Amino acid sequence: MSYINGLLTNIYRAEQKEKTLAEYYIEVNKAVEEMKLIFPITADVEKMRQQQEHVIVQCFLSGLGQEYDVIRTQMLTGTDLPNLSDMYARLRRVCKDNVTTCATEPNDPAAFVGFGGRGT
């Protein structure tokens, strides 16, 4: 899972900086081609949905603050990722043990209903 997270980071946070346009393109394209091998296009709709969910959860995890480093590492090194709403629920349970981590979150959990995806 952490390998996939690295690929996603290379794709979503890529920057040209001092590279030539060609070097930048090659770097991003290499990561994209590796992602295509890991998540191939398939006629199996359920498989495609699972692949999409993996990418979404990995992006969510990679964007979390440093206070979530331990759980992020545990999730990314595990064999299976939960869906986004289950991941959020797990993080909320961790927050209950550490109130300062979630002190800036909205009071209304319903605000995240649409954000959580299919909720299963």
Side-chain angles (χ1 to χ4, degrees):
M1 294 291 174
S2 60
Y3 175 74
I4 296 170
N5 188 50
L7 285 175
L8 289 171
T9 299
N10 289 343
I11 294 168
Y12 292 120
R13 295 187 180 162
E15 294 182 37
Q16 183 178 1
K17 294 186 180 180
E18 302 298 320
K19 298 177 205 96
T20 66
L21 179 60
E23 291 169 333
Y24 175 61
Y25 169 77
I26 289 168
E27 178 183 301
V28 172
N29 194 52
K30 180 181 178 218
V32 168
E33 291 303 317
E34 288 180 57
M35 286 296 297
K36 287 178 182 178
L37 291 174
I38 293 169
F39 297 120
I41 301 294
T42 175
D44 184 343
V45 175
E46 181 58 25
K47 177 87 172 160
M48 291 290 291
R49 187 198 58 74
Q50 290 171 351
Q51 291 173 348
Q52 182 184 45
E53 191 71 34
H54 279 268
V55 171
I56 291 166
V57 171
Q58 294 236 343
C59 290
F60 177 75
L61 286 171
S62 68
L64 289 173
Q66 291 178 349
E67 64 270 22
Y68 296 101
D69 280 352
V70 171
I71 194 165
R72 175 185 18 250
T73 301
Q74 289 173 347
M75 289 287 132
L76 291 175
T77 56
T79 57
D80 195 25
L81 284 176
N83 64 38
L84 185 58
S85 58
D86 289 344
M87 176 61 65
Y88 177 69
R90 288 181 187 190
L91 291 168
R92 292 290 295 163
R93 283 192 296 274
V94 170
C95 288
K96 287 181 181 181
D97 295 334
N98 183 358
V99 178
T100 59
T101 301
C102 299
T104 59
E105 291 188 4
N107 293 329
D108 182 11
F112 291 95
V113 169
F115 182 75
R118 46 183 214 294
T120 59

